[in-house]
Amino acid sequence: MSGRLTGKNILMVIAPKNFRDEELNHPKEIFEKEGAKVTIACKQTGKCSGMLGATATPNILIKDAKADDYDAVIVVGGNGSPEHLWNDSQLHKVVQDADKSGKVVAAICLSGAVLAKAGVLKNREATVYETPESLKELQNGGAKFTRKDVVISGKVITANGPEAAKSFGKAITEAIIRG
């Protein structure tokens, strides 16, 4: 099974504080086991902290990330997402560019709202960790909210939270392999 993503590059975007540990680590583990190179992006450098105590050090700033360099762009969720990622115009541009280029674009948990705010969920089925705010953002972005763990709409993949992290990682892997 391993090696199916050899030569593939994946960008995972996290909030500097309160990203959801499993939503970064479970998919990342799956991608690396399959041979992909994973790059972590954030709006700041230095150690970032997860909600459950995990830490991650970004390799690149969001503003320096280019969609063309990656086969997939993934936005990790957690409580830090609304404050740090939802309104990040540089992140919106990376996501929009990846979508326009036909790359895999994915978000888990509260970060589904990032895709909605970037305009890539318009007329697409999507899920999100349900809060009044996140559901409103999906609606405002024209998404068709679907209450499932993982929703695949073409090359756009959304998942609803940490329990779906492994299924999310597997769905992204399959989407990259399918091209």
Side-chain angles (χ1 to χ4, degrees), residues 21-142:
D21 307 36
E22 313 92 313
E23 295 170 1
L24 171 65
N25 294 328
H26 291 327
K28 183 175 183 279
E29 216 169 81
I30 291 167
F31 305 147
E32 289 174 343
K33 201 176 273 179
E34 290 286 0
K37 178 180 186 290
V38 176
T39 301
I40 298 174
C42 188
K43 65 183 193 179
Q44 67 183 48
T45 55
K47 196 180 281 185
C48 299
S49 54
M51 291 172 59
L52 306 178
T55 58
T57 305
N59 311 95
I60 190 172
L61 290 170
I62 293 168
K63 69 180 180 71
D64 296 328
K66 308 258 179 295
D68 287 349
D69 297 339
Y70 303 98
D71 298 285
V73 175
I74 301 158
V75 189
V76 175
N79 288 345
S81 180
E83 179 186 347
H84 298 285
L85 303 177
W86 282 18
N87 297 307
D88 188 316
S89 58
Q90 292 162 327
L91 175 55
H92 293 173
K93 183 172 181 351
V94 175
V95 166
Q96 289 161 350
D97 290 349
D99 185 48
K100 281 184 198 126
S101 306
K103 309 208 179 220
V104 174
V105 176
I108 185 167
C109 192
L110 288 169
S111 289
V114 172
L115 303 189
K117 284 174 147 306
V120 301
L121 294 183
K122 194 165 181 54
N123 299 320
R124 285 180 165 146
E125 284 192 6
T127 192
V128 69
Y129 183 82
E130 288 181 57
T131 67
E133 297 79 13
S134 65
L135 290 170
K136 183 171 176 252
E137 292 304 341
L138 255 61
Q139 187 180 8
N140 290 346

